[in-house]
Amino acid sequence: MHVDIGNALAEVATPGVSEAALERLDAEVADAHETIAAGMSNAVFGYASLNLPETTSASGIERAVADVDADAVLTVGIGGSALGARTVTAALGEPEHYVLDNVDPEHATRLLDSLDLPRTAVNVVSRSGTTAETLANFLVVREAYEDAGVDWTERTAVTTGETGPLADLADAEDLPTLAVPEGVPGRFSALSAVGLVPAAILGHDAEAVLAGAREARDTLSGSLFDCPAYAYGAVAVALERRGAHTNAFVPYAEALEPFAEWFAQLWAESLGKEGQGQTPARALGATDQHSQLQLYRAGRHDKVVTLLRATERDDRAIPDTDVEGLAYLGDATLGELLDAEFEATEASLAAARQPNVRVEVERVDARGVGDLLFSFEAACVLAGELMGVETFTQPAVEWGKNAARGLLGAGETEEAAAVRGKREYRIE
């Protein structure tokens, strides 16, 4: 991964970071890196996430699912138990990976009705095995298979912790079982079985994803000037300190749109604490140049725009045309047009003094997505260190889970009582 922070400098953008401020910030980065490196070395909770490129066994994952014969995969999970896997398969161009990560009944019914169940594997993921949304959806999926006369046990792989209802079910039914790695929060688990099982079932090279992540891991150093991941995380924090409270994340590749969703969870859940944290906004280039860009260029100076693209891709020529005003397109390709749109957006933002950062990866492929996943995880961990927050916890998320469990009858909770005590002011 390569990062260009030129359009986030104070001479270009408002807010912006001066080169002198970057030098001062680099001393903070050096101290933070010592903490991160020590945490990795000792496999401390959270920091162990950055060891996954070395500790995850691609061959072990492939052996575990070798007997799962399917042409499509349905992942049942939520949050980090689904977003990483979806990000990987999208980057690999895999169209036969489906995700059930919400308990919207109409959506669940439409999705299950659209699937060819005899040729679809089920990939159910929950560390605790007690996640309400995941277990509810899995029960619905299992019933759909039974109603269709399809043996779900021959098509189901489970990724979970050592104990819990899912672990017990997998043991009772002799299902292929993979471990959620110890010491790794869900949103940091894409480079483990949590994120790689669907790709492995569908015959993709999981080891290549890990190889790309290892290449990114090798760039970690005590200076933001030598490490693209740290450069991104440090500049994001510096801009937030100066008022850039939104991070608009804009990939210029359809295959990276799920990556933007993965980034949004990573950035929000890890850094949104103690009155701090940038709000991630998702967009897609060039599509959203015709919608959101108006705000990013002409709105408040309270955001940084992250522009992500691949420098190499398969391309397609634009056919010649005699239509006046369009003939110039016949000398170009779709890729050249996309690059022109990217660079025009970047220049447009800079001209309006809106800070933006360019991120590039060589290709959107197995190595490229591994590189991006690791690099942004490292950037996020560094950002948390610089901000002084507990990067790897999610207390606000747990509050909502406790409230939902109480409302569904799993025992009265303080959070459920708060929901029932809602202040109403209805207008009908």
Side-chain angles (χ1 to χ4, degrees):
M1 184 178 90
H2 305 285
V3 173
D4 180 350
I5 61 174
N7 282 348
L9 296 177
E11 64 193 69
V12 177
T14 304
V17 188
S18 70
E19 293 189 56
L22 283 178
E23 294 286 351
R24 294 191 296 272
L25 183 61
D26 200 40
E28 294 183 56
V29 171
D31 291 341
H33 176 66
E34 287 189 13
T35 301
I36 294 168
M40 293 169 64
S41 179
N42 295 306
V44 175
F45 178 78
Y47 300 100
S49 309
L50 300 181
N51 294 332
L52 287 177
E54 299 290 345
T55 58
T56 299
S57 170
S59 60
I61 294 170
E62 289 162 357
R63 284 195 301 272
V65 300
D67 293 332
V68 180
D69 184 17
D71 300 315
V73 175
L74 172 62
T75 289
V76 182
I78 195 168
S81 295
L83 289 174
R86 183 175 170 216
T87 294
V88 170
T89 54
L92 298 177
E94 175 53 66
E96 295 287 359
H97 180 210
Y98 306 91
V99 175
L100 192 55
D101 62 350
N102 200 350
V103 286
D104 179 332
E106 293 181 342
H107 170 70
T109 298
R110 283 194 297 267
L111 177 59
L112 288 169
D113 286 348
S114 73
L115 294 176
D116 184 357
L117 298 184
R119 57 182 285 275
T120 302
V122 178
N123 167 47
V124 56
V125 187
S126 170
R127 176 192 298 277
S128 65
T130 62
T131 307
E133 298 93 341
T134 299
L135 287 217
N137 275 332
F138 178 57
L139 292 174
V140 168
V141 169
R142 188 172 70 175
E143 181 182 60
Y145 274 73
E146 290 171 345
D147 289 348
V150 180
D151 187 350
W152 62 271
T153 65
E154 294 183 355
R155 294 161 179 80
T156 300
V158 173
T159 304
T160 191
E162 291 185 5
T163 60
L166 270 185
D168 294 342
L169 175 68
D171 184 59
E173 299 291 349
D174 195 26
L175 305 176
T177 307
L178 299 101
V180 175
E182 289 294 324
V184 178
R187 60 190 175 278
F188 286 90
S189 64
L191 295 167
S192 73
V194 174
L196 298 176
V197 163
I201 291 175
L202 294 168
H204 294 283
D205 187 357
E207 174 56 32
V209 178
L210 295 173
R214 286 193 293 272
E215 291 171 6
R217 189 176 187 266
D218 289 344
T219 68
L220 294 187
S221 73
S223 173
L224 69 89
F225 299 109
D226 297 324
C227 175
Y230 283 178
Y232 183 84
V235 167
V237 170
L239 289 171
E240 185 192 1
R241 290 172 177 173
R242 291 159 174 79
H245 299 309
T246 296
N247 192 326
F249 199 88
V250 191
Y252 275 69
E254 292 278 344
L256 288 176
E257 187 171 17
F259 185 86
E261 189 173 354
W262 173 87
F263 170 83
Q265 183 196 9
L266 180 77
W267 215 245
E269 196 167 1
S270 300
L271 305 178
K273 291 152 190 170
E274 300 178 20
Q276 300 182 75
Q278 289 174 325
T279 299
R282 306 195 301 270
L284 178 66
T287 301
D288 286 312
Q289 288 177 211
H290 296 268
S291 55
Q292 297 180 39
L293 181 60
Q294 175 64 38
L295 172 67
Y296 300 152
R297 187 179 194 275
R300 293 187 180 95
H301 285 250
D302 61 353
K303 61 190 71 64
V304 56
V305 180
T306 300
L307 301 166
L308 169 62
R309 73 170 174 183
T311 56
E312 298 179 13
R313 66 172 76 84
D314 294 335
D315 210 342
R316 185 161 187 155
I318 300 171
D320 291 333
T321 178
D322 295 329
V323 177
E324 186 177 353
L326 295 180
Y328 72 97
L329 292 173
D331 294 325
T333 67
L334 289 178
E336 289 168 345
L337 178 56
L338 189 63
D339 282 340
E341 298 269 18
F342 178 100
E343 290 162 13
T345 297
E346 184 180 52
S348 169
L349 292 166
R353 296 194 62 82
Q354 295 281 13
N356 59 93
V357 175
R358 176 192 290 204
V359 179
E360 294 178 325
V361 67
E362 186 174 332
R363 292 189 70 91
V364 182
D365 59 10
R367 284 181 178 267
V369 74
D371 180 348
L372 287 172
L373 287 166
F374 182 89
S375 294
F376 277 94
E377 286 181 4
C380 183
V381 173
L382 176 82
E385 296 294 328
L386 296 178
M387 294 165 62
V389 299
E390 294 288 340
T391 308
F392 305 112
T393 63
Q394 52 281 332
V397 175
E398 296 304 321
W399 195 100
K401 289 180 179 179
N402 290 337
R405 290 191 189 103
L407 293 173
L408 289 170
E412 184 59 29
T413 65
E414 179 182 339
E415 295 87 350
V419 174
R420 294 189 181 96
K422 176 189 177 301
R423 167 78 162 87
E424 290 191 352
Y425 191 148
R426 298 174 68 89
I427 297 159
E428 299 177 351

